[in-house]
Amino acid sequence: MVEYNNKLRPILNLYANSDIRRILFYYPGKSLAKRVGMSVKQLREYVYEVCCKTDWNKIKQGNKVLLKMLDKADKVRIKTKDTDLTLSVKNITTISSCGRTKMTDGEVFTKPVLRSVNSHVIFDLKTHFRGITIDSIWL
C-alpha cells in the first residue's frame, strides 16, 4: 500500500492543483458490481447516469439555498439515532462544487470553527477503502 500510494501521489497532486474535470472511482468492473449487488452493466449505466446526465444547474440552485443557510449560521447540529454533532461555522467560507472539478459531485464544502466541534458519530455502514474493509467506527 505504501508503494502504491507513493506512485499515485504525483497524479493526485496534479489533479488537486488544477481545473481538470475528473472522476476518482473504483472502475465499475466485476468485483465492484458484486460488492454493491449489481450487474456490471447496471453499475456502468449507474455511474454514467450520475456523472454525465445530472442537471448541474438544478444542483447548483439547490446548493445556493444551503450556502445561504450556512453563511447566516452560527451553530450547526446534526442529530440522529447514533450521531449528535454540534459545531460552529460562524464567519467560515462555504463553497459549492456542482460538477466543476470532480465527479461525482454536488457537494457543499465548509469547515468548523477551530475547537468548536462536540460530537459522537457512529459509522455503521461497511465500506471498503484501499483493500481494507471498515465496519462500525465510533468517533
Side-chain angles (χ1 to χ4, degrees), residues 43-104:
L43 180 60
R44 287 182 182 158
E45 288 174 359
Y46 174 77
V47 170
Y48 176 76
E49 185 77 24
V50 169
C51 294
C52 300
K53 293 188 176 181
T54 298
D55 183 347
W56 293 112
N57 287 326
K58 186 175 181 181
I59 300 293
K60 188 175 185 177
Q61 293 308 311
N63 281 0
K64 281 183 180 179
V65 174
L66 182 56
L67 289 170
K68 283 182 184 178
M69 289 172 55
L70 287 169
D71 287 342
K72 292 179 184 177
D74 177 5
K75 300 251 184 230
V76 173
R77 185 172 187 198
I78 301 168
K79 185 168 173 53
T80 68
K81 181 181 129 226
D82 295 325
T83 298
D84 192 355
L85 170 64
T86 305
L87 56 96
S88 175
V89 292
K90 187 172 186 165
N91 299 321
I92 299 294
T93 301
T94 54
I95 300 167
S96 176
S97 191
C98 293
R100 289 183 321 208
T101 58
K102 70 180 187 81
M103 302 302 275
T104 61

Side-chain angles (χ1 to χ4, degrees), residues 6-20:
N6 287 340
K7 291 192 184 294
L8 188 60
R9 179 59 42 210
I11 295 167
L12 295 176
N13 288 343
L14 172 69
Y15 287 132
N17 299 311
S18 75
D19 290 331
I20 297 171

